[in-house]
Amino acid sequence: MDNNTLVKRRKVVVVGAGAVGSTFCYALAQSGLAEEVAVIDRNDSLAQGQVLDLVHGQAFFPTVSIRVGNPCDYADAQVVVITAGAAQRPGETRLQLLQKNAAIVRSIVDDIVDQKSAGVILIASNPVDILTRVALKRAGYDRGRVIGSGTVLDSARFRHLLSGHCGVDIHNVHAYILGEHGDSEFAAWSMTHVAGMQIDKYCPICRQCADWAAERCQVEQNVRDSAYHIIEYKGATYFSIGLALVRITEAILRGQRSVLTVSTSLDGEFGLRDVSLSVPTIVSDSGVVKIIESQLPELELAALTASASVLKKALEELDLDA
Ligand code: NAD
């Protein structure tokens, strides 16, 4: 990190104690990665209740201090994870919701900057790519220090589906979803490997399906629709995003240099700039330390460019300087 002396190693602040924030805290506590977790929510009683419920589990997970926090906690946090957001009200447009969530993120980032925090800001609130951009612009930090959960979860969903399809342990499936965390995301098939082999080369060995081309489209569509299905069934998604956030936090707290598809600001990579979206990156103690500019085939590069255009259009609707 650039400001080592001010950062308390393994201290995490979680902003937003709703479904995603509390599930993240629960998974983080069990992981043993953090030494100190401070939970902030504008609904103070919710934060109090979540913390009380969590600390009653202290006998069952590795030693960690969990408490209700306040903006002073940003000062020495190694990671600040933002899961705060407003729910869509009946009759509210997507843009109105976006403006509301952008205002929430800006006010949190202002507090982080006021506290001269040297930590990494990790955004989970949706629309995550837009809000990551809003936070980066507001903070004025190095681009690697303000990142979004991006398609880390979508890539995990992709690996889960491929693992089931090919009948191979998920840990032997390497695969990435790139672009927006949303409808314009796409599967980077050129980077998809099973048992160390590019998926198309693995196919003749696999022989689990009759028509791989059709299956491939179905798998990709299923990844895109995953969140819609879960929301239809139970109203929200939180277990897997909680775990995805733990994975990203782990890479930061341990300085792991992990390859993760977090949402990051591009500055000429892949021919794109002024947009935050997911591409393969190396995540370590100061956030994104490298963007891996892989040689994408024409179709995938076109999909990435199209996804960036969708995000840029949404950004144009927002006043980024507000
Ligand atoms: P939730 O409504 O359960 O929780 C949101 C919490 O944010 C609430 O407790 C609210 O009081 C708090 N909050 C609002 N404004 C705040 C502020 N200014 N400061 C502090 N706290 C504030 O919602 P949730 O289900 O936990 O989802 C949270 C966000 O995460 C949403 O934007 C959701 O779309 C997003 N999400 C992202 C992913 C992903 O993959 N990135 C997955 C699931 C959900």
Side-chain angles (χ1 to χ4, degrees):
M1 327 234 25
D2 33 20
N3 210 346
N4 266 335
T5 48
L6 297 178
V7 169
K8 213 186 247 181
R9 292 273 163 187
R10 301 175 62 211
K11 173 174 174 180
V12 179
V13 178
V14 185
V15 193
V20 173
S22 60
T23 310
F24 167 61
C25 288
Y26 181 63
L28 185 66
Q30 294 197 57
S31 73
L33 286 167
E35 214 163 85
E36 187 178 348
V37 181
V39 183
I40 299 175
D41 197 291
R42 74 168 165 205
N43 177 349
D44 193 50
S45 113
L46 178 68
Q48 297 280 358
Q50 301 284 34
V51 165
L52 204 52
D53 199 4
L54 284 162
V55 295
H56 290 168
Q58 269 174 331
F60 309 111
F61 44 65
T63 307
V64 56
S65 144
I66 307 174
R67 58 180 172 76
V68 174
N70 63 64
C72 294
D73 280 300
Y74 296 136
D76 59 357
Q78 198 176 347
V79 192
V80 178
V81 182
I82 300 179
T83 74
Q88 195 156 9
R89 293 247 169 96
E92 193 171 47
T93 66
R94 193 192 57 83
L95 182 60
Q96 283 166 336
L97 180 68
L98 172 56
Q99 279 163 339
K100 210 193 270 179
N101 280 337
I104 288 173
V105 165
R106 279 192 195 106
S107 78
I108 295 165
V109 168
D110 286 349
D111 286 344
I112 295 171
V113 172
D114 279 353
Q115 292 297 323
K116 301 190 174 23
S117 172
V120 175
I121 300 178
L122 169 58
I123 314 274
S125 313
N126 275 323
V128 67
D129 302 289
I130 303 288
L131 295 181
T132 301
R133 190 88 207 146
V134 166
L136 175 67
K137 188 99 200 278
R138 191 69 164 198
Y141 291 169
D142 290 346
R143 61 177 172 152
R145 251 180 85 189
V146 184
I147 62 180
S149 55
T151 58
V152 173
L153 170 56
D154 315 65
S155 297
R157 287 171 173 153
F158 186 32
R159 289 173 63 204
H160 160 75
L161 290 170
L162 289 172
S163 158
H165 181 77
C166 300
V168 171
D169 182 349
I170 192 164
H171 301 99
N172 299 115
V173 176
H174 288 269
Y176 303 102
I177 296 289
L178 305 184
E180 174 198 15
H181 168 65
D183 293 341
S184 70
E185 69 186 23
F186 66 97
W189 290 106
S190 64
M191 301 172 72
T192 304
H193 287 77
V194 175
M197 299 166 76
Q198 207 279 328
I199 185 114
D200 292 332
K201 297 217 168 80
Y202 183 73
C203 245
I205 299 173
C206 180
R207 287 198 246 143
Q208 298 268 20
C209 62
D211 183 357
W212 171 233
E215 291 287 335
R216 202 168 130 136
C217 293
Q218 195 55 56
V219 166
E220 189 166 357
Q221 193 56 45
N222 282 350
V223 174
R224 245 181 243 124
D225 292 343
S226 295
Y228 294 124
H229 290 149
I230 299 168
I231 289 167
E232 214 174 289
Y233 285 129
K234 61 175 221 172
T237 72
Y238 38 87
F239 290 131
S240 49
I241 180 61
L243 288 164
L245 291 170
V246 171
R247 179 66 192 93
I248 304 166
T249 304
E250 177 186 28
I252 299 166
L253 296 184
R254 288 191 166 156
Q256 274 180 326
R257 300 189 70 86
S258 304
V259 176
L260 295 168
T261 53
V262 295
S263 186
T264 194
S265 172
L266 298 187
D267 189 17
E269 295 87 0
F270 301 95
L272 300 168
R273 60 180 73 246
D274 300 327
V275 67
S276 296
L277 46 57
S278 288
V279 291
T281 68
I282 296 181
V283 179
S284 202
D285 55 355
S286 54
V288 166
V289 293
K290 191 179 179 68
I291 291 171
I292 302 172
E293 209 173 346
S294 20
Q295 292 292 316
L296 294 179
E298 212 174 304
L299 269 179
E300 290 174 16
L301 189 58
L304 187 68
T305 307
S307 197
S309 302
V310 168
L311 289 167
K312 280 191 167 188
K313 195 161 175 288
L315 282 166
E316 276 162 20
E317 291 176 0
L318 259 187
D319 181 4
L320 268 189
D321 296 314

PDB file of all heavy atoms in Angstrom, residues 15-21 40-43 46 83-87 101 104 107-108 124-126 128 149-150 153-154 181 236-238 241, ligand 1:
ATOM      1  N   VAL A  15     -19.940  -0.942   4.689  1.00  0.00           N
ATOM      2  CA  VAL A  15     -20.972   0.097   4.706  1.00  0.00           C
ATOM      3  C   VAL A  15     -22.225  -0.477   4.061  1.00  0.00           C
ATOM      4  O   VAL A  15     -22.209  -0.844   2.880  1.00  0.00           O
ATOM      5  CB  VAL A  15     -20.512   1.365   3.943  1.00  0.00           C
ATOM      6  CG1 VAL A  15     -21.454   2.524   4.250  1.00  0.00           C
ATOM      7  CG2 VAL A  15     -19.082   1.717   4.288  1.00  0.00           C
ATOM      8  N   GLY A  16     -23.298  -0.515   4.846  1.00  0.00           N
ATOM      9  CA  GLY A  16     -24.537  -1.165   4.390  1.00  0.00           C
ATOM     10  C   GLY A  16     -24.638  -2.503   5.108  1.00  0.00           C
ATOM     11  O   GLY A  16     -23.833  -3.405   4.859  1.00  0.00           O
ATOM     12  N   ALA A  17     -25.583  -2.590   6.036  1.00  0.00           N
ATOM     13  CA  ALA A  17     -25.723  -3.819   6.836  1.00  0.00           C
ATOM     14  C   ALA A  17     -26.972  -4.586   6.441  1.00  0.00           C
ATOM     15  O   ALA A  17     -27.560  -5.301   7.245  1.00  0.00           O
ATOM     16  CB  ALA A  17     -25.753  -3.466   8.324  1.00  0.00           C
ATOM     17  N   GLY A  18     -27.379  -4.431   5.188  1.00  0.00           N
ATOM     18  CA  GLY A  18     -28.555  -5.154   4.688  1.00  0.00           C
ATOM     19  C   GLY A  18     -28.192  -6.590   4.354  1.00  0.00           C
ATOM     20  O   GLY A  18     -27.257  -7.172   4.929  1.00  0.00           O
ATOM     21  N   ALA A  19     -28.902  -7.158   3.396  1.00  0.00           N
ATOM     22  CA  ALA A  19     -28.714  -8.572   3.060  1.00  0.00           C
ATOM     23  C   ALA A  19     -27.280  -8.849   2.594  1.00  0.00           C
ATOM     24  O   ALA A  19     -26.634  -9.798   3.058  1.00  0.00           O
ATOM     25  CB  ALA A  19     -29.716  -8.968   1.983  1.00  0.00           C
ATOM     26  N   VAL A  20     -26.772  -8.027   1.682  1.00  0.00           N
ATOM     27  CA  VAL A  20     -25.427  -8.275   1.130  1.00  0.00           C
ATOM     28  C   VAL A  20     -24.349  -7.977   2.179  1.00  0.00           C
ATOM     29  O   VAL A  20     -23.441  -8.787   2.407  1.00  0.00           O
ATOM     30  CB  VAL A  20     -25.194  -7.445  -0.155  1.00  0.00           C
ATOM     31  CG1 VAL A  20     -23.752  -7.565  -0.630  1.00  0.00           C
ATOM     32  CG2 VAL A  20     -26.151  -7.889  -1.255  1.00  0.00           C
ATOM     33  N   GLY A  21     -24.468  -6.828   2.838  1.00  0.00           N
ATOM     34  CA  GLY A  21     -23.456  -6.428   3.821  1.00  0.00           C
ATOM     35  C   GLY A  21     -23.354  -7.439   4.963  1.00  0.00           C
ATOM     36  O   GLY A  21     -22.257  -7.838   5.361  1.00  0.00           O
ATOM     37  N   ILE A  40     -21.185  -0.232   9.295  1.00  0.00           N
ATOM     38  CA  ILE A  40     -21.868   1.071   9.301  1.00  0.00           C
ATOM     39  C   ILE A  40     -23.140   0.959   8.465  1.00  0.00           C
ATOM     40  O   ILE A  40     -23.116   0.391   7.368  1.00  0.00           O
ATOM     41  CB  ILE A  40     -20.951   2.159   8.688  1.00  0.00           C
ATOM     42  CG1 ILE A  40     -19.665   2.304   9.509  1.00  0.00           C
ATOM     43  CG2 ILE A  40     -21.678   3.502   8.571  1.00  0.00           C
ATOM     44  CD1 ILE A  40     -18.644   3.275   8.914  1.00  0.00           C
ATOM     45  N   ASP A  41     -24.229   1.502   8.980  1.00  0.00           N
ATOM     46  CA  ASP A  41     -25.456   1.598   8.187  1.00  0.00           C
ATOM     47  C   ASP A  41     -26.175   2.861   8.641  1.00  0.00           C
ATOM     48  O   ASP A  41     -26.101   3.231   9.817  1.00  0.00           O
ATOM     49  CB  ASP A  41     -26.358   0.367   8.392  1.00  0.00           C
ATOM     50  CG  ASP A  41     -27.414   0.240   7.306  1.00  0.00           C
ATOM     51  OD1 ASP A  41     -28.347   1.089   7.255  1.00  0.00           O
ATOM     52  OD2 ASP A  41     -27.309  -0.684   6.483  1.00  0.00           O
ATOM     53  N   ARG A  42     -26.856   3.519   7.698  1.00  0.00           N
ATOM     54  CA  ARG A  42     -27.559   4.734   8.126  1.00  0.00           C
ATOM     55  C   ARG A  42     -28.729   4.366   9.041  1.00  0.00           C
ATOM     56  O   ARG A  42     -29.205   5.178   9.807  1.00  0.00           O
ATOM     57  CB  ARG A  42     -27.987   5.580   6.944  1.00  0.00           C
ATOM     58  CG  ARG A  42     -29.137   5.042   6.165  1.00  0.00           C
ATOM     59  CD  ARG A  42     -29.657   6.094   5.198  1.00  0.00           C
ATOM     60  NE  ARG A  42     -30.509   5.431   4.224  1.00  0.00           N
ATOM     61  CZ  ARG A  42     -30.749   5.881   3.032  1.00  0.00           C
ATOM     62  NH1 ARG A  42     -30.213   7.003   2.625  1.00  0.00           N
ATOM     63  NH2 ARG A  42     -31.538   5.229   2.222  1.00  0.00           N
ATOM     64  N   ASN A  43     -29.154   3.110   8.955  1.00  0.00           N
ATOM     65  CA  ASN A  43     -30.133   2.581   9.897  1.00  0.00           C
ATOM     66  C   ASN A  43     -29.339   1.985  11.063  1.00  0.00           C
ATOM     67  O   ASN A  43     -28.926   0.825  11.042  1.00  0.00           O
ATOM     68  CB  ASN A  43     -30.986   1.525   9.183  1.00  0.00           C
ATOM     69  CG  ASN A  43     -31.986   0.873  10.107  1.00  0.00           C
ATOM     70  OD1 ASN A  43     -31.930   1.038  11.324  1.00  0.00           O
ATOM     71  ND2 ASN A  43     -32.907   0.126   9.518  1.00  0.00           N
ATOM     72  N   LEU A  46     -30.373  -1.278  12.694  1.00  0.00           N
ATOM     73  CA  LEU A  46     -30.062  -2.467  11.890  1.00  0.00           C
ATOM     74  C   LEU A  46     -28.594  -2.866  12.104  1.00  0.00           C
ATOM     75  O   LEU A  46     -28.275  -4.045  12.322  1.00  0.00           O
ATOM     76  CB  LEU A  46     -30.326  -2.204  10.402  1.00  0.00           C
ATOM     77  CG  LEU A  46     -29.984  -3.365   9.471  1.00  0.00           C
ATOM     78  CD1 LEU A  46     -30.927  -4.547   9.678  1.00  0.00           C
ATOM     79  CD2 LEU A  46     -30.033  -2.936   8.004  1.00  0.00           C
ATOM     80  N   THR A  83     -21.774  -1.664   0.359  1.00  0.00           N
ATOM     81  CA  THR A  83     -22.938  -2.446  -0.078  1.00  0.00           C
ATOM     82  C   THR A  83     -24.209  -1.633   0.141  1.00  0.00           C
ATOM     83  O   THR A  83     -25.311  -2.170   0.049  1.00  0.00           O
ATOM     84  CB  THR A  83     -23.047  -3.782   0.700  1.00  0.00           C
ATOM     85  OG1 THR A  83     -23.512  -3.512   2.021  1.00  0.00           O
ATOM     86  CG2 THR A  83     -21.734  -4.523   0.782  1.00  0.00           C
ATOM     87  N   ALA A  84     -24.053  -0.364   0.470  1.00  0.00           N
ATOM     88  CA  ALA A  84     -25.220   0.489   0.762  1.00  0.00           C
ATOM     89  C   ALA A  84     -25.965   0.823  -0.514  1.00  0.00           C
ATOM     90  O   ALA A  84     -25.359   1.033  -1.562  1.00  0.00           O
ATOM     91  CB  ALA A  84     -24.748   1.772   1.443  1.00  0.00           C
ATOM     92  N   GLY A  85     -27.265   0.856  -0.404  1.00  0.00           N
ATOM     93  CA  GLY A  85     -28.045   1.224  -1.583  1.00  0.00           C
ATOM     94  C   GLY A  85     -29.493   1.399  -1.218  1.00  0.00           C
ATOM     95  O   GLY A  85     -29.936   0.926  -0.168  1.00  0.00           O
ATOM     96  N   ALA A  86     -30.198   2.106  -2.064  1.00  0.00           N
ATOM     97  CA  ALA A  86     -31.634   2.279  -1.856  1.00  0.00           C
ATOM     98  C   ALA A  86     -32.356   1.269  -2.738  1.00  0.00           C
ATOM     99  O   ALA A  86     -31.905   0.955  -3.832  1.00  0.00           O
ATOM    100  CB  ALA A  86     -32.028   3.701  -2.243  1.00  0.00           C
ATOM    101  N   ALA A  87     -33.473   0.769  -2.245  1.00  0.00           N
ATOM    102  CA  ALA A  87     -34.272  -0.164  -3.052  1.00  0.00           C
ATOM    103  C   ALA A  87     -35.166   0.651  -3.989  1.00  0.00           C
ATOM    104  O   ALA A  87     -35.518   1.795  -3.683  1.00  0.00           O
ATOM    105  CB  ALA A  87     -35.115  -1.032  -2.136  1.00  0.00           C
ATOM    106  N   ASN A 101     -28.673   6.214  -5.784  1.00  0.00           N
ATOM    107  CA  ASN A 101     -27.547   5.395  -5.335  1.00  0.00           C
ATOM    108  C   ASN A 101     -26.206   6.092  -5.579  1.00  0.00           C
ATOM    109  O   ASN A 101     -25.276   5.935  -4.782  1.00  0.00           O
ATOM    110  CB  ASN A 101     -27.581   4.024  -6.014  1.00  0.00           C
ATOM    111  CG  ASN A 101     -28.574   3.094  -5.338  1.00  0.00           C
ATOM    112  OD1 ASN A 101     -28.908   3.283  -4.166  1.00  0.00           O
ATOM    113  ND2 ASN A 101     -29.070   2.107  -6.053  1.00  0.00           N
ATOM    114  N   ILE A 104     -25.752   8.363  -2.691  1.00  0.00           N
ATOM    115  CA  ILE A 104     -25.356   7.605  -1.487  1.00  0.00           C
ATOM    116  C   ILE A 104     -23.853   7.300  -1.543  1.00  0.00           C
ATOM    117  O   ILE A 104     -23.110   7.540  -0.587  1.00  0.00           O
ATOM    118  CB  ILE A 104     -26.176   6.287  -1.381  1.00  0.00           C
ATOM    119  CG1 ILE A 104     -27.624   6.605  -1.006  1.00  0.00           C
ATOM    120  CG2 ILE A 104     -25.556   5.317  -0.382  1.00  0.00           C
ATOM    121  CD1 ILE A 104     -28.568   5.403  -1.035  1.00  0.00           C
ATOM    122  N   SER A 107     -21.670  10.376  -0.979  1.00  0.00           N
ATOM    123  CA  SER A 107     -21.576  10.857   0.405  1.00  0.00           C
ATOM    124  C   SER A 107     -20.664   9.935   1.230  1.00  0.00           C
ATOM    125  O   SER A 107     -19.913  10.403   2.086  1.00  0.00           O
ATOM    126  CB  SER A 107     -22.958  11.028   1.037  1.00  0.00           C
ATOM    127  OG  SER A 107     -23.462   9.780   1.428  1.00  0.00           O
ATOM    128  N   ILE A 108     -20.698   8.636   0.941  1.00  0.00           N
ATOM    129  CA  ILE A 108     -19.809   7.706   1.666  1.00  0.00           C
ATOM    130  C   ILE A 108     -18.351   7.978   1.276  1.00  0.00           C
ATOM    131  O   ILE A 108     -17.452   8.038   2.127  1.00  0.00           O
ATOM    132  CB  ILE A 108     -20.207   6.233   1.364  1.00  0.00           C
ATOM    133  CG1 ILE A 108     -21.607   5.947   1.915  1.00  0.00           C
ATOM    134  CG2 ILE A 108     -19.186   5.257   1.938  1.00  0.00           C
ATOM    135  CD1 ILE A 108     -22.249   4.670   1.390  1.00  0.00           C
ATOM    136  N   ALA A 124     -19.946  -2.853  -4.096  1.00  0.00           N
ATOM    137  CA  ALA A 124     -20.816  -3.967  -4.501  1.00  0.00           C
ATOM    138  C   ALA A 124     -22.180  -3.448  -4.950  1.00  0.00           C
ATOM    139  O   ALA A 124     -22.882  -4.115  -5.702  1.00  0.00           O
ATOM    140  CB  ALA A 124     -21.004  -4.942  -3.354  1.00  0.00           C
ATOM    141  N   SER A 125     -22.546  -2.249  -4.479  1.00  0.00           N
ATOM    142  CA  SER A 125     -23.885  -1.713  -4.776  1.00  0.00           C
ATOM    143  C   SER A 125     -24.078  -1.575  -6.283  1.00  0.00           C
ATOM    144  O   SER A 125     -23.145  -1.235  -7.017  1.00  0.00           O
ATOM    145  CB  SER A 125     -24.050  -0.338  -4.123  1.00  0.00           C
ATOM    146  OG  SER A 125     -23.624  -0.372  -2.784  1.00  0.00           O
ATOM    147  N   ASN A 126     -25.306  -1.808  -6.702  1.00  0.00           N
ATOM    148  CA  ASN A 126     -25.633  -1.747  -8.132  1.00  0.00           C
ATOM    149  C   ASN A 126     -26.219  -0.411  -8.559  1.00  0.00           C
ATOM    150  O   ASN A 126     -26.848   0.260  -7.746  1.00  0.00           O
ATOM    151  CB  ASN A 126     -26.647  -2.854  -8.462  1.00  0.00           C
ATOM    152  CG  ASN A 126     -25.964  -4.168  -8.742  1.00  0.00           C
ATOM    153  OD1 ASN A 126     -24.902  -4.191  -9.348  1.00  0.00           O
ATOM    154  ND2 ASN A 126     -26.567  -5.257  -8.309  1.00  0.00           N
ATOM    155  N   VAL A 128     -23.150  -1.704 -10.354  1.00  0.00           N
ATOM    156  CA  VAL A 128     -21.821  -1.665  -9.739  1.00  0.00           C
ATOM    157  C   VAL A 128     -20.776  -0.951 -10.603  1.00  0.00           C
ATOM    158  O   VAL A 128     -19.931  -0.209 -10.080  1.00  0.00           O
ATOM    159  CB  VAL A 128     -21.372  -3.095  -9.326  1.00  0.00           C
ATOM    160  CG1 VAL A 128     -21.144  -3.995 -10.511  1.00  0.00           C
ATOM    161  CG2 VAL A 128     -20.139  -3.039  -8.463  1.00  0.00           C
ATOM    162  N   SER A 149     -17.074  -5.061  -7.501  1.00  0.00           N
ATOM    163  CA  SER A 149     -17.103  -6.538  -7.507  1.00  0.00           C
ATOM    164  C   SER A 149     -17.276  -7.066  -8.930  1.00  0.00           C
ATOM    165  O   SER A 149     -16.916  -8.219  -9.215  1.00  0.00           O
ATOM    166  CB  SER A 149     -18.217  -7.068  -6.605  1.00  0.00           C
ATOM    167  OG  SER A 149     -19.454  -6.514  -6.975  1.00  0.00           O
ATOM    168  N   GLY A 150     -17.796  -6.221  -9.813  1.00  0.00           N
ATOM    169  CA  GLY A 150     -17.825  -6.531 -11.243  1.00  0.00           C
ATOM    170  C   GLY A 150     -18.426  -7.891 -11.553  1.00  0.00           C
ATOM    171  O   GLY A 150     -19.501  -8.252 -11.055  1.00  0.00           O
ATOM    172  N   LEU A 153     -18.621 -12.526  -9.375  1.00  0.00           N
ATOM    173  CA  LEU A 153     -19.715 -13.458  -9.089  1.00  0.00           C
ATOM    174  C   LEU A 153     -20.193 -14.138 -10.372  1.00  0.00           C
ATOM    175  O   LEU A 153     -20.400 -15.362 -10.400  1.00  0.00           O
ATOM    176  CB  LEU A 153     -20.874 -12.691  -8.421  1.00  0.00           C
ATOM    177  CG  LEU A 153     -22.197 -13.436  -8.263  1.00  0.00           C
ATOM    178  CD1 LEU A 153     -22.019 -14.739  -7.500  1.00  0.00           C
ATOM    179  CD2 LEU A 153     -23.219 -12.551  -7.565  1.00  0.00           C
ATOM    180  N   ASP A 154     -20.338 -13.368 -11.446  1.00  0.00           N
ATOM    181  CA  ASP A 154     -20.817 -13.945 -12.713  1.00  0.00           C
ATOM    182  C   ASP A 154     -19.827 -15.008 -13.221  1.00  0.00           C
ATOM    183  O   ASP A 154     -20.235 -16.033 -13.772  1.00  0.00           O
ATOM    184  CB  ASP A 154     -20.974 -12.838 -13.767  1.00  0.00           C
ATOM    185  CG  ASP A 154     -21.660 -11.622 -13.190  1.00  0.00           C
ATOM    186  OD1 ASP A 154     -21.068 -10.993 -12.288  1.00  0.00           O
ATOM    187  OD2 ASP A 154     -22.768 -11.300 -13.608  1.00  0.00           O
ATOM    188  N   HIS A 181     -21.371  -5.814 -15.336  1.00  0.00           N
ATOM    189  CA  HIS A 181     -22.098  -6.756 -14.482  1.00  0.00           C
ATOM    190  C   HIS A 181     -23.577  -6.485 -14.778  1.00  0.00           C
ATOM    191  O   HIS A 181     -24.203  -5.628 -14.173  1.00  0.00           O
ATOM    192  CB  HIS A 181     -21.773  -6.507 -13.005  1.00  0.00           C
ATOM    193  CG  HIS A 181     -22.696  -7.228 -12.061  1.00  0.00           C
ATOM    194  ND1 HIS A 181     -22.749  -8.596 -11.969  1.00  0.00           N
ATOM    195  CD2 HIS A 181     -23.626  -6.767 -11.181  1.00  0.00           C
ATOM    196  CE1 HIS A 181     -23.654  -8.936 -11.069  1.00  0.00           C
ATOM    197  NE2 HIS A 181     -24.203  -7.844 -10.584  1.00  0.00           N
ATOM    198  N   ALA A 236     -33.959 -11.487  -3.561  1.00  0.00           N
ATOM    199  CA  ALA A 236     -32.634 -10.838  -3.556  1.00  0.00           C
ATOM    200  C   ALA A 236     -31.554 -11.900  -3.643  1.00  0.00           C
ATOM    201  O   ALA A 236     -31.810 -13.082  -3.378  1.00  0.00           O
ATOM    202  CB  ALA A 236     -32.445 -10.045  -2.266  1.00  0.00           C
ATOM    203  N   THR A 237     -30.346 -11.494  -4.016  1.00  0.00           N
ATOM    204  CA  THR A 237     -29.210 -12.425  -3.980  1.00  0.00           C
ATOM    205  C   THR A 237     -28.224 -11.908  -2.936  1.00  0.00           C
ATOM    206  O   THR A 237     -27.975 -10.705  -2.872  1.00  0.00           O
ATOM    207  CB  THR A 237     -28.483 -12.515  -5.348  1.00  0.00           C
ATOM    208  OG1 THR A 237     -27.756 -11.312  -5.568  1.00  0.00           O
ATOM    209  CG2 THR A 237     -29.441 -12.726  -6.488  1.00  0.00           C
ATOM    210  N   TYR A 238     -27.710 -12.789  -2.130  1.00  0.00           N
ATOM    211  CA  TYR A 238     -26.735 -12.323  -1.137  1.00  0.00           C
ATOM    212  C   TYR A 238     -25.687 -13.359  -0.729  1.00  0.00           C
ATOM    213  O   TYR A 238     -24.571 -12.989  -0.415  1.00  0.00           O
ATOM    214  CB  TYR A 238     -27.422 -11.740   0.114  1.00  0.00           C
ATOM    215  CG  TYR A 238     -28.683 -12.465   0.552  1.00  0.00           C
ATOM    216  CD1 TYR A 238     -28.623 -13.552   1.402  1.00  0.00           C
ATOM    217  CD2 TYR A 238     -29.928 -12.039   0.096  1.00  0.00           C
ATOM    218  CE1 TYR A 238     -29.778 -14.209   1.813  1.00  0.00           C
ATOM    219  CE2 TYR A 238     -31.098 -12.695   0.498  1.00  0.00           C
ATOM    220  CZ  TYR A 238     -31.018 -13.782   1.351  1.00  0.00           C
ATOM    221  OH  TYR A 238     -32.157 -14.429   1.747  1.00  0.00           O
ATOM    222  N   ILE A 241     -22.798 -13.411  -3.557  1.00  0.00           N
ATOM    223  CA  ILE A 241     -22.081 -12.123  -3.653  1.00  0.00           C
ATOM    224  C   ILE A 241     -21.273 -11.908  -2.362  1.00  0.00           C
ATOM    225  O   ILE A 241     -20.154 -11.382  -2.414  1.00  0.00           O
ATOM    226  CB  ILE A 241     -23.027 -10.913  -3.954  1.00  0.00           C
ATOM    227  CG1 ILE A 241     -22.240  -9.596  -4.041  1.00  0.00           C
ATOM    228  CG2 ILE A 241     -24.148 -10.793  -2.951  1.00  0.00           C
ATOM    229  CD1 ILE A 241     -21.207  -9.521  -5.110  1.00  0.00           C
TER     230      ILE A 241
HETATM  231  P1  NAD B   1     -30.545  -3.948   1.421  1.00  0.00           P
HETATM  232  O1  NAD B   1     -31.645  -3.005   1.144  1.00  0.00           O
HETATM  233  O2  NAD B   1     -30.817  -5.194   2.184  1.00  0.00           O
HETATM  234  O3  NAD B   1     -29.371  -3.168   2.181  1.00  0.00           O
HETATM  235  C1  NAD B   1     -28.913  -1.912   1.809  1.00  0.00           C
HETATM  236  C2  NAD B   1     -28.515  -1.205   3.088  1.00  0.00           C
HETATM  237  O4  NAD B   1     -27.870   0.031   2.732  1.00  0.00           O
HETATM  238  C3  NAD B   1     -29.708  -0.845   3.974  1.00  0.00           C
HETATM  239  O5  NAD B   1     -29.556  -1.448   5.239  1.00  0.00           O
HETATM  240  C4  NAD B   1     -29.662   0.682   4.062  1.00  0.00           C
HETATM  241  O6  NAD B   1     -30.064   1.193   5.334  1.00  0.00           O
HETATM  242  C5  NAD B   1     -28.172   0.942   3.779  1.00  0.00           C
HETATM  243  N1  NAD B   1     -27.887   2.312   3.360  1.00  0.00           N
HETATM  244  C6  NAD B   1     -28.538   3.072   2.449  1.00  0.00           C
HETATM  245  N2  NAD B   1     -27.947   4.279   2.349  1.00  0.00           N
HETATM  246  C7  NAD B   1     -26.891   4.270   3.187  1.00  0.00           C
HETATM  247  C8  NAD B   1     -25.894   5.217   3.520  1.00  0.00           C
HETATM  248  N3  NAD B   1     -25.862   6.436   2.954  1.00  0.00           N
HETATM  249  N4  NAD B   1     -24.949   4.879   4.415  1.00  0.00           N
HETATM  250  C9  NAD B   1     -24.983   3.667   5.023  1.00  0.00           C
HETATM  251  N5  NAD B   1     -25.912   2.717   4.752  1.00  0.00           N
HETATM  252  C10 NAD B   1     -26.853   3.018   3.848  1.00  0.00           C
HETATM  253  O7  NAD B   1     -29.904  -4.302   0.005  1.00  0.00           O
HETATM  254  P2  NAD B   1     -28.957  -5.545  -0.316  1.00  0.00           P
HETATM  255  O8  NAD B   1     -29.772  -6.684  -0.777  1.00  0.00           O
HETATM  256  O9  NAD B   1     -27.999  -5.706   0.794  1.00  0.00           O
HETATM  257  O10 NAD B   1     -28.174  -4.987  -1.608  1.00  0.00           O
HETATM  258  C11 NAD B   1     -27.247  -3.939  -1.464  1.00  0.00           C
HETATM  259  C12 NAD B   1     -26.705  -3.524  -2.825  1.00  0.00           C
HETATM  260  O11 NAD B   1     -25.934  -4.591  -3.361  1.00  0.00           O
HETATM  261  C13 NAD B   1     -27.811  -3.240  -3.844  1.00  0.00           C
HETATM  262  O12 NAD B   1     -27.424  -2.119  -4.618  1.00  0.00           O
HETATM  263  C14 NAD B   1     -27.832  -4.493  -4.691  1.00  0.00           C
HETATM  264  O13 NAD B   1     -28.328  -4.269  -5.995  1.00  0.00           O
HETATM  265  C15 NAD B   1     -26.354  -4.822  -4.694  1.00  0.00           C
HETATM  266  N6  NAD B   1     -26.011  -6.187  -5.093  1.00  0.00           N
HETATM  267  C16 NAD B   1     -24.912  -6.318  -5.859  1.00  0.00           C
HETATM  268  C17 NAD B   1     -24.514  -7.564  -6.305  1.00  0.00           C
HETATM  269  C18 NAD B   1     -23.297  -7.658  -7.178  1.00  0.00           C
HETATM  270  O14 NAD B   1     -22.998  -8.711  -7.754  1.00  0.00           O
HETATM  271  N7  NAD B   1     -22.521  -6.592  -7.285  1.00  0.00           N
HETATM  272  C19 NAD B   1     -25.241  -8.706  -5.940  1.00  0.00           C
HETATM  273  C20 NAD B   1     -26.350  -8.537  -5.111  1.00  0.00           C
HETATM  274  C21 NAD B   1     -26.738  -7.275  -4.699  1.00  0.00           C
END
